[in-house]
Amino acid sequence: MSQFAENLEKIRSRITEAAGRSGRNPEEILLLAVSKTFPPDVIREAFDSGQTHFGENRVQELLTKIPELPPRIEWHLIGHLQSNKVRKILADVDMIQTVDSLDLAQRIDRIAGEIGVFPRVLIQVNIAEDSAKFGFTAEAVRTEMETLLCLERLQIDGLMTIPAFDPDPESARPAFANLRELRDELASEFDLPLTELSMGMSHDFEVAIEEGATIVRVGSALFGKRGKPKNE
Ligand SMILES: *Cc1c(COP(=O)(O)O)cnc(C)c1O
């Protein structure tokens, strides 16, 4: 068994256990393999082990990988999307998890109309109001939600967040719980499912699942340690 396949098996069983602890069905939790910095051959091996959903945080990197890999892979963009790159990426990704401003949402909607797609997106919420992070504040989502819902092309499936890094997984629990509460509040106010909650990474995905995550974004626990990207 490859190292990836072994890691995948372990992560899947930890997902099942965390779901069990919180009385949830593990099948409602999507494992997104965060493949940033890893080359296509590594991703292909992961795909051959049964992993189908991959996350990338840079548009350029994603665009070079997509044509080299099986079309059955589902790609999620999980990094900040600059407005001048929307057109390049829109037809090629299955979900944009990082709609972090009204401007960006409007631009995606407009270009989606031009090219004839209905993109699935998540609204990125800066739940801890960390000035170093992108995303709507909870308050801004409450005020802008109505406008966001008027964008005819956007399929808003839910919310995502990236809390400030803390090695202690428990420290992210309040942020995860707050994101879920915000989702519940918006879902009831606007009578929407808003099913997806993308939260939790390698070191804290179990806590995120206990707090309601439906998408966990796991990189290093699956692929091993990343090298530094060139422009960071
Ligand atoms: C890199 C990244 C991850 C994965 O991080 P790991 O700690 O390696 O699991 C998850 N989410 C986002 C937005 C990322 O950029």
Side-chain angles (χ1 to χ4, degrees), residues 9-10 34 50 76 81 98 127 129 161 165 186 191 216 231:
E9 198 165 275
K10 280 190 205 129
V34 178
H76 289 215
L81 177 55
T98 41
I127 201 83
E129 309 207 358
T161 198
F165 181 81
L186 296 168
D191 195 19
V216 290
N231 47 347

Side-chain angles (χ1 to χ4, degrees), residues 34 36 57 78 160 162 200-203 217-221 226:
V34 178
K36 63 188 183 196
N57 66 339
I78 59 169
M160 96 64 107
I162 312 171
M201 314 190 349
S202 288
H203 71 294
R217 309 179 306 262
V218 178
S220 48
R226 280 183 294 276

Side-chain angles (χ1 to χ4, degrees), residues 117-128:
V117 293
F118 290 89
R120 293 175 63 201
V121 305
L122 303 181
I123 303 301
Q124 182 176 353
V125 186
N126 184 358
I127 201 83

